């Protein structure tokens, strides 16, 4: 079996204690955990706010030394023009194998953060879902990213729409993903959140399979022990749906590899 974990945050959110220990040692702890869990290939994909703090030279050395390691970044999408320009510049400058495009903010609200959960009261959940998937479609249509991060993140706290159907909101997003030749990740971190589901839902994955959209796997680990968490289960879910291959990345090129090799 060939397994990957392409969504790993060694630097987490740049908390002070982690910052101090950011080193080859720290990266190694993620690599060793991946080996323990029989993950064949991993990708480091810290949040874009940390781009300046990452030692890219060291990252390249680690890649050389250990092999089967890819370099990525998880970009926060917002429709702001200056920000898009900044993303483009970084995509040119950094030695990336792939980039993940994610929506974490609606206006200035970090809707996936437990500290701001009370903000949900201010919104009509139906409208919120519409806004989220519109933003995601916009992120996809920039053509800047290879991977769509946690596609239905808006369900994180279990707030579900009443009138609108998620299928109807997701269809245009998936069509755009197909058009742009992008990949969807199965992100297992949703299992640790109040919603207790993978991102995206199995229904959405079935839609993606019908549209022939490739998938990859990620744990969204922010600490070494979570590397590869539930990745085997995610692989089983996609093979049950019909997928036999997963996407791997090299210098922003996507290729497909047999899961059962
Ligand atoms: Zn994210
Ligand atoms: Zn992440």
């Amino acid at each position: 079996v060939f397994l990957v974990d392409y969504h790993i945050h060694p630097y987490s959110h740049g908390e002070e204690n982690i910052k101090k220990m950011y080193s080859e040692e720290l990266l190694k702890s993620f690599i060793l955990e991946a080996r323990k869990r029989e993950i064949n290939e991993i990708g480091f994909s810290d949040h874009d706010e940390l781009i300046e703090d990452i030692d890219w030279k060291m990252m390249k050395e680690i890649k050389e030394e250990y092999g089967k390691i890819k370099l990525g970044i998880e970009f926060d999408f917002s429709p702001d023009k200056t920000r898009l320009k900044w993303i483009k510049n970084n995509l040119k400058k950094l030695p990336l194998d792939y980039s993940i495009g994610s929506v974490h903010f609606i206006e200035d609200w970090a809707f996936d953060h437990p500290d701001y959960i009370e903000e949900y009261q201010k919104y009509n959940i139906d409208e919120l879902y519409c806004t989220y998937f519109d933003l995601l479609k916009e992120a996809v249509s920039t053509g800047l990213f290879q991977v769509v991060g946690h596609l239905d993140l808006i369900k994180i706290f279990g707030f579900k729409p009443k009138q609108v159907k998620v299928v109807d909101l997701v269809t245009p997003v998936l069509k755009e993903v197909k058009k742009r030749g992008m990949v969807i990740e199965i992100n297992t971190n949703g299992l640790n959140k109040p919603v207790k589901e993978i991102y995206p839902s199995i229904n959405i994955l079935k839609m993606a399979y019908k549209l022939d959209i490739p998938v990859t796997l990620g744990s969204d680990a922010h600490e070494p022990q979570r590397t590869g968490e539930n990745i085997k289960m995610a692989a089983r879910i996609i093979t049950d749906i019909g997928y036999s291959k997963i996407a791997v990345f090299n210098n922003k090129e996507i290729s497909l590899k047999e899961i059962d090799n």
Side-chain angles (χ1 to χ4, degrees):
V1 183
F2 180 82
L3 297 171
V4 299
D5 183 349
Y6 271 116
H7 197 138
I8 297 175
H9 296 278
Y11 213 157
S12 193
H13 289 278
E15 292 89 343
E16 207 42 51
N17 55 340
I18 290 168
K19 212 166 195 163
K20 274 186 205 135
M21 60 185 275
Y22 194 64
S23 62
E24 195 178 327
E25 273 315 293
L26 177 70
L27 296 169
K28 229 161 55 184
S29 62
F30 286 88
I31 295 167
L32 293 179
E33 185 66 31
R35 286 188 183 165
K36 235 200 282 176
R37 298 211 200 202
E38 298 169 304
I39 308 298
N40 304 75
E41 188 164 300
I42 63 169
F44 292 124
S45 58
D46 261 314
H47 290 288
D48 62 20
E49 71 205 56
L50 303 171
I51 279 176
E52 303 297 327
D53 299 305
I54 294 170
D55 183 345
W56 290 98
K57 193 170 157 273
M58 183 180 73
M59 298 300 275
K60 284 202 272 188
E61 284 164 9
I62 289 269
K63 195 176 153 176
E64 290 287 307
E65 190 181 337
Y66 291 90
K68 300 283 171 203
I69 289 170
K70 302 290 156 131
L71 304 184
I73 281 285
E74 180 179 15
F75 284 101
D76 252 335
F77 172 78
S78 96
D80 177 70
K81 284 216 170 70
T82 356
R83 187 163 171 81
L84 286 177
K85 223 171 148 185
W86 179 82
I87 294 177
K88 273 182 206 162
N89 278 336
N90 278 301
L91 287 171
K92 256 185 252 157
K93 197 170 76 182
L94 303 173
L96 298 176
D97 290 302
Y98 65 102
S99 64
I100 302 174
S102 297
V103 173
H104 300 107
F105 289 91
I106 288 173
E107 283 155 11
D108 287 333
W109 171 38
F111 64 85
D112 67 335
H113 200 292
D115 286 358
Y116 311 118
I117 189 168
E118 75 283 355
E119 292 277 313
Y120 280 88
Q121 307 310 320
K122 293 188 192 162
Y123 287 87
N124 170 309
I125 301 299
D126 285 45
E127 282 170 20
L128 196 60
Y129 268 66
C130 294
T131 307
Y132 171 78
F133 285 110
D134 279 350
L135 273 172
L136 190 64
K137 183 169 174 254
E138 221 180 312
V140 171
S141 67
T142 62
L144 292 173
F145 316 108
Q146 283 74 49
V147 185
V148 184
H150 36 61
L151 193 142
D152 57 354
L153 180 66
I154 191 71
K155 71 180 179 183
I156 182 166
F157 296 115
F159 297 108
K160 298 277 169 83
K162 290 192 175 76
Q163 310 282 326
V164 295
K165 299 233 177 331
V166 174
V167 177
D168 295 331
L169 302 179
V170 166
T171 301
V173 179
L174 291 182
K175 284 187 178 157
E176 193 68 26
V177 170
K178 177 68 189 166
K179 186 173 145 194
R180 300 286 166 185
M182 283 171 72
V183 170
I184 285 174
E185 66 164 6
I186 292 92
N187 184 314
T188 60
N189 201 23
L191 295 165
N192 302 316
K193 306 294 179 181
V195 70
K196 293 202 163 40
E197 287 175 18
I198 54 166
Y199 309 114
S201 67
I202 292 178
N203 263 344
I204 296 174
L205 286 172
K206 285 179 179 164
M207 292 164 70
Y209 179 70
K210 275 193 203 141
L211 287 168
D212 198 24
I213 294 170
V215 288
T216 194
L217 306 170
S219 66
D220 220 328
H222 284 68
E223 63 267 350
Q225 315 84 267
R226 282 203 57 249
T227 310
E229 188 180 67
N230 288 316
I231 288 295
K232 277 184 187 155
M233 190 190 76
R236 223 174 303 129
I237 289 171
I238 55 169
T239 47
D240 283 350
I241 289 170
Y243 281 101
S244 60
K245 293 174 180 170
I246 34 178
V248 294
F249 306 91
N250 216 332
N251 198 17
K252 296 187 209 127
E253 299 266 323
I254 300 164
S255 51
L256 298 176
K257 247 185 125 120
E258 292 284 342
I259 299 170
D260 282 308
N261 62 341

